[in-house]
Amino acid sequence: LARTSLCSLFPLWWARITGFGVRDTGLGSRNRYVMRGSRIPESRIPNPEPRTPKGVLMLILDIGCGKKKQLPTAVGLDRQPGSDADILCELAHFPWPLRDSCADQIYLSHFIEHQADTLRAMAEVHRVAKPGAEVMVVTPHYSCMDSYTDPTHLVHLGFHSFDYLTQGSFENFTYNAGGFRIIDRRLTFGHNFLLDNLGRLIAAISVDFYEKHFAWIFPARNIHCRLAVVK
């Protein structure tokens, strides 16, 4: 078979054999979204590839994927060789080895609390996301014991921390952030029938009242926030 025919049958395996994630065959391989010159040491991008309802190829990223990606069809990025990453890179160094406006969906599960510059990392997420792309963030709530137990956690976030991603400036200061719209967000709690359900109930009535008066009494577990990219 000709080389073009091989690529059309096995575009992702061809990228794995060559060791490069930059081959743009024009045949739908998600590897074309990786920056030229970047290498994928071990590509494990599965088939079938996810597509939109119109049949258009989707690129789903899992940034800081660790040992288990959120979706098996996602392209994982991580710095650790023992991770489930398809692309190994230092995520504290910018830019990431991804092209502009390439991703349809991005997962940030327990990632942003490890970043020394949260707003810069989110600006990089904004760069690689397509207009309207969804970004799913999960991070410990500041009242959670896990937020402070892990020595690699650099920031501790609350329910309204994500407000800083929706606008560039506030009344008394400017962050040059923005670029996102909050679709929904929620707090999760543990499984203690009495204590966690009390916290869950108070937060359901008023998150602001919960964080101000009860967060350290009935700690939350995680913040789940779904964002839309605005470009």
Side-chain angles (χ1 to χ4, degrees):
L1 291 174
R3 179 174 178 176
T4 302
S5 177
L6 279 173
C7 287
S8 65
L9 290 173
F10 306 106
L12 298 178
W13 283 104
W14 184 253
R16 181 175 183 175
I17 293 169
T18 60
F20 286 91
V22 297
R23 187 176 301 280
D24 188 351
T25 65
L27 300 170
S29 171
R30 280 174 289 170
N31 287 281
R32 71 175 183 269
Y33 297 114
V34 181
M35 277 186 175
R36 187 170 304 280
S38 300
R39 296 183 65 87
I40 301 179
E42 186 178 356
S43 177
R44 296 186 296 274
I45 306 174
N47 286 309
E49 296 175 323
R51 294 178 181 272
T52 67
K54 295 183 178 181
V56 179
L57 186 69
M58 288 181 63
L59 177 68
I60 302 174
L61 297 178
D62 192 335
I63 309 297
C65 63
K67 291 186 176 182
K68 184 178 180 181
K69 291 186 285 191
Q70 298 299 302
L71 292 175
T73 52
V75 176
L77 284 77
D78 206 292
R79 60 176 292 188
Q80 298 295 343
S83 68
D84 199 28
D86 302 291
I87 302 173
L88 291 174
C89 61
E90 176 52 72
L91 295 170
H93 298 165
F94 307 105
W96 298 335
L98 295 166
R99 297 182 179 177
D100 295 352
S101 301
C102 67
D104 298 274
Q105 197 174 77
I106 300 175
Y107 285 88
L108 304 174
S109 180
H110 296 281
F111 167 74
I112 60 174
E113 65 268 22
H114 295 273
Q115 303 307 301
D117 191 340
T118 303
L119 296 182
R120 178 64 184 87
M122 292 305 297
E124 189 67 3
V125 170
H126 186 272
R127 179 186 71 80
V128 303
K130 292 180 180 178
E134 288 193 1
V135 180
M136 274 66 68
V137 184
V138 181
T139 187
H141 187 260
Y142 65 77
S143 65
C144 179
M145 178 179 66
D146 294 341
S147 186
Y148 291 90
T149 300
D150 190 333
T152 66
H153 288 182
L154 302 177
V155 294
H156 308 279
L157 303 173
F159 189 81
H160 290 289
S161 296
F162 296 92
D163 294 343
Y164 292 78
L165 304 177
T166 63
Q167 57 194 87
S169 62
F170 293 80
E171 182 179 355
N172 297 317
F173 36 79
T174 299
Y175 286 117
N176 294 318
F180 296 91
R181 175 176 58 86
I182 296 173
I183 301 174
D184 57 59
R185 55 183 161 175
R186 60 188 173 88
L187 299 181
T188 62
F189 292 80
H191 303 290
N192 183 281
F193 179 78
L194 177 61
L195 301 179
D196 288 322
N197 277 330
L198 282 172
R200 189 177 287 111
L201 175 62
I202 297 168
I205 296 171
S206 172
V207 171
D208 291 349
F209 189 75
Y210 163 79
E211 287 196 324
K212 185 174 182 180
H213 299 288
F214 288 98
W216 298 112
I217 302 173
F218 308 118
R221 188 167 185 179
N222 291 319
I223 310 168
H224 292 247
C225 185
R226 189 160 58 105
L227 303 165
V229 173
V230 179
K231 288 189 176 182

